[in-house]
Amino acid sequence: MKTPEKLKESDFAKQFEQLLRELLGRVPSLKLVSLQREAKISPGPSDRADHLAQVRAGSRKWTLLVEEKRLGQPREVRSALLQLERQLKQLPGSAPRYGVLLAPFISEESAKLCTEAGIGYADLAGNARLAFDQVFIETRGAGNPFHEKREVRSLFAPRATRVLRVLLQGPLRPWKGTELAESARVSVGWVSAVRQQLLAREWAAEESAGLRVTKPGAVLDAWTKADDWGKRTRTHEYSVLHADPLELAKKVQTVLKEEQPVFTQWIAGWLRHPYTTPVVVTAYVKKFPDEAIIQEQLLGRRVVASGGLRLVLPKDEGVFHPSQNVRGFDLVSDVQIYTDLLHAGLRGEEQAEELRRWPDFAGGWA
């Protein structure tokens, strides 16, 4: 199946028509009487339905009004639902009618909007719900097989995540574009790209005072799902003689002052909100130190894996901003600690989830 990026307008029409026919064909008692594309439904010049289907369910004849969307994001879906509701009222006659929304992929959030509005939906991934007369079809669980490359790049690219770190730092508040760009150390163009994607997914709202994230949990979940530790970092591991993680962190901070270590993963999560005992000390650095310094002052040696010390060189220095100081240690932001812990292994996920459940996580999102 072609992705939405490659589908032409005519391809979309064919895919959606085939989808609709297959969906209606699942119910033996349902007969498709007619299917018309670009059907005029009222005297208004722009009141046309993408598809108008006449179906017979038992002894009753139903009119299905179908709206097609190239994107199934909540903001697009909400707009389509309003249009469907308006057009359903404009249909002539008193015959029962039902609205259906078609899109390449409809997320669970968008599907919920359709269900609450009493509108059916179906997508090219295999998710669907129709509920009218004696007809009930529901399939859910198919993931998105389409690559939203451009959208994902614009929302979770390194410079875009600089913006997200600022927006997700509580207490959550509205930000003007220029102020946000300055705080995140990015161009206004990057702020605009992130803004568009957050608004399209209804994860943020545009207020008189600026852009404010309204669903921080959804943003963080999507971010961690898209995050690729291996692509955004280079890691050196070392076997060291210091058994106590806190003492090792103090030593690292003193010895590697030039490299400006900023701690993350277990040691940072433990300092913010203790849960699991830190088993490895991890710190981002601006540059890797000379091996001789590790050997002579930290009594360590480079290893391939399972080292007690991890020094991480980020490909984008946005991980350092914003940062925080806890008990004399420089740490990355809570959202960065959480994201990094999910890649840490050794019960890192447990510490991550406990940190996130803490009311003061990221300055408090309430």
Side-chain angles (χ1 to χ4, degrees):
M1 187 178 289
K2 297 180 181 179
T3 68
E5 290 181 319
K6 294 180 180 178
L7 284 172
K8 297 177 181 178
E9 203 71 22
S10 58
D11 291 326
F12 267 117
K14 292 174 184 177
Q15 293 268 16
F16 285 140
E17 182 170 331
Q18 182 182 357
L19 171 63
L20 186 61
R21 288 181 181 277
E22 289 178 353
L23 194 62
L24 298 175
R26 294 186 196 177
V27 184
S29 61
L30 193 63
K31 182 182 179 183
L32 178 61
V33 178
S34 66
L35 181 60
Q36 184 182 356
R37 177 153 187 85
E38 292 292 329
K40 194 169 180 62
I41 60 173
S42 75
S46 60
D47 287 326
R48 289 181 177 274
D50 290 327
H51 274 106
L52 196 64
Q54 301 293 336
V55 299
R56 189 173 295 280
S59 60
R60 301 185 72 192
K61 191 174 180 181
W62 279 75
T63 298
L64 303 188
L65 189 66
V66 182
E67 176 74 10
E68 300 169 357
K69 281 292 180 183
R70 304 301 177 260
L71 293 174
Q73 295 173 348
R75 186 175 174 181
E76 294 282 336
V77 167
R78 198 179 294 277
S79 172
L81 294 177
L82 289 173
Q83 182 171 323
L84 273 170
E85 289 171 350
R86 178 179 61 82
Q87 291 182 333
L88 283 169
K89 293 176 181 177
Q90 292 177 334
L91 280 173
S94 58
R97 71 278 314 266
Y98 184 65
V100 181
L101 176 67
L102 304 181
F105 178 73
I106 295 176
S107 67
E108 288 190 16
E109 189 173 6
S110 293
K112 184 179 178 182
L113 291 174
C114 293
T115 302
E116 290 174 349
I119 299 293
Y121 67 83
D123 64 26
L124 299 177
N127 299 299
R129 187 180 191 276
L130 293 185
F132 66 94
D133 203 273
Q134 300 299 310
V135 176
F136 185 79
I137 299 173
E138 185 168 33
T139 56
R140 188 75 225 169
N144 190 353
F146 306 110
H147 302 291
E148 297 178 283
K149 293 180 180 178
R150 184 169 56 186
E151 290 82 359
V152 169
R153 275 201 302 269
S154 63
L155 188 54
F156 300 116
R159 290 189 181 275
T161 57
R162 292 186 182 192
V163 180
L164 296 181
R165 289 184 192 92
V166 175
L167 287 171
L168 291 176
Q169 184 59 43
L172 301 177
R173 68 175 182 89
W175 289 81
K176 291 293 188 184
T178 52
E179 178 194 17
L180 183 54
E182 183 178 343
S183 182
R185 306 182 187 189
V186 297
S187 68
V188 175
W190 273 109
V191 168
S192 177
V194 172
R195 172 184 167 279
Q196 289 174 12
Q197 291 303 317
L198 291 176
L199 291 175
R201 289 167 170 78
E202 296 190 337
W203 292 343
E206 193 71 77
E207 301 176 356
S208 58
L211 181 73
R212 181 172 65 86
V213 169
T214 54
K215 296 181 180 177
V219 176
L220 186 54
D221 288 340
W223 179 2
T224 54
K225 187 176 180 181
D227 185 53
D228 191 325
W229 171 270
K231 286 185 177 180
R232 65 176 174 85
T233 63
R234 285 176 56 206
T235 303
H236 286 184
E237 294 203 29
Y238 305 89
S239 175
V240 291
L241 292 180
H242 295 276
D244 183 84
L246 198 58
E247 289 303 314
L248 176 57
K250 289 179 182 177
K251 189 73 173 175
V252 167
Q253 191 163 247
T254 302
V255 172
L256 303 184
K257 189 175 181 180
E258 244 184 71
E259 287 73 25
Q260 303 175 46
V262 180
F263 296 93
T264 187
Q265 291 190 334
W266 297 277
I267 189 68
W270 182 81
L271 284 166
R272 281 292 285 144
H273 183 57
Y275 181 67
T276 58
T277 303
V279 289
V280 177
V281 171
T282 306
Y284 283 108
V285 292
K286 296 290 182 71
K287 64 176 182 177
F288 287 124
D290 190 283
E291 295 291 328
I293 294 177
I294 300 293
Q295 293 174 4
E296 295 168 11
Q297 299 189 51
L298 291 177
L299 304 178
R301 61 183 178 83
R302 181 87 178 274
V303 293
V304 175
S306 303
L309 172 64
R310 288 179 180 174
L311 297 181
V312 182
L313 186 68
K315 292 186 178 179
D316 181 76
E317 292 191 358
V319 296
F320 295 108
H321 309 290
S323 60
Q324 54 189 324
N325 190 280
V326 178
R327 293 170 57 180
F329 294 94
D330 288 330
L331 315 179
V332 294
S333 66
D334 282 0
V335 293
Q336 191 63 57
I337 295 171
Y338 174 83
T339 301
D340 293 343
L341 273 166
L342 296 180
H343 300 283
L346 300 172
R347 299 184 68 195
E349 289 187 9
E350 292 180 37
Q351 174 68 75
E353 295 306 327
E354 185 64 25
L355 176 65
R356 183 171 171 176
R357 283 192 290 267
W358 184 39
D360 199 36
F361 174 70
W365 281 349

